[in-house]
Amino acid sequence: MVNSKELLKQAKLGNYAIPHFNINNLEWTRFILEECNENNSPVILGVSEGAAKYMGGYKVVNDMVRALVDSLKIKVPVVLHLDHGSLETCKEAIDAGFTSVMIDASKYSLEENIQMTGEVVSYAKGRNISVEAEIGHVGGEEDGIADELAYAKVEDAIRLALETGIDTLAPALGSVHGPYKGEPKLDFERMKEISLKTDLPLVLHGGSGIDDEKIKKAISCGICKLNINTELQMEWAKGVREFLNESDSVYDPRKIIKSGEKRMKEAIRMKIELLGSKDKAV
């Protein structure tokens, strides 16, 4: 269990990206850990506020992940990361044992974003926790919360990076949470400029549904972490539906949940290969 700082520095140097897969329960966590271990890929396990609440709280999630890493004999670096946290939930996740947090104060003014992000950085640094922040607004819907897309400004990204001391930055550059309606319009030139002028590993939220060539180009422009959730949910659901359509008398929840494993693991493997993180665990 590590923070994301060194992993993402190495990804930036090596021109690849680390996958961030959101977890929703014990089975999902196990599927992700096993497949990443099989492919020798570092992994960031993302936990939204809603998912943490669903699973019983941050301490439950932390204890579960650490127990699975130990029991499954996982050898690759694993980051336990709070996704889109508030000032309060970032502190709560850090206290519970998370190794990384994202403070999302992007809906506030730039000055408020800097102030809140700086407070989280101060709280995290003495505890060896990495901090991600967002600038602009990533559109779409996550955990039932919808937001309009607003592209990050280069000068705002530079200020946020310089004045807070964050480890990674998620600038809104055309991606959205959830399924895409139409083609994602990523601003690669602005992405490259922010990467060069902040010298930080960049994060692309809303990685599900972006075609492979755009993802490869984004990595070449400074993206070092890709967040993936919807795609795994869709693949898992397909597997479950196929199983239930063929076995309508099954009621054991273990068999039902596990029936999505094959499709989900295949999607994980393909993303690892696309991002170039295969065999990058050290």
Side-chain angles (χ1 to χ4, degrees), residues 17-37:
I18 305 292
H20 160 132
F21 297 117
N22 282 74
I23 61 174
N24 297 284
N25 55 30
L26 182 146
E27 291 87 354
W28 274 55
T29 308
R30 178 172 188 162
F31 299 160
I32 294 166
L33 286 173
E34 287 177 339
E35 192 62 23
C36 289
N37 201 58

Side-chain angles (χ1 to χ4, degrees), residues 1-19:
M1 299 288 295
V2 298
N3 67 37
S4 67
K5 189 172 182 179
E6 290 304 317
L7 292 181
L8 295 177
K9 277 186 179 179
Q10 290 303 312
K12 187 174 177 66
L13 289 171
N15 199 34
Y16 60 92
I18 305 292

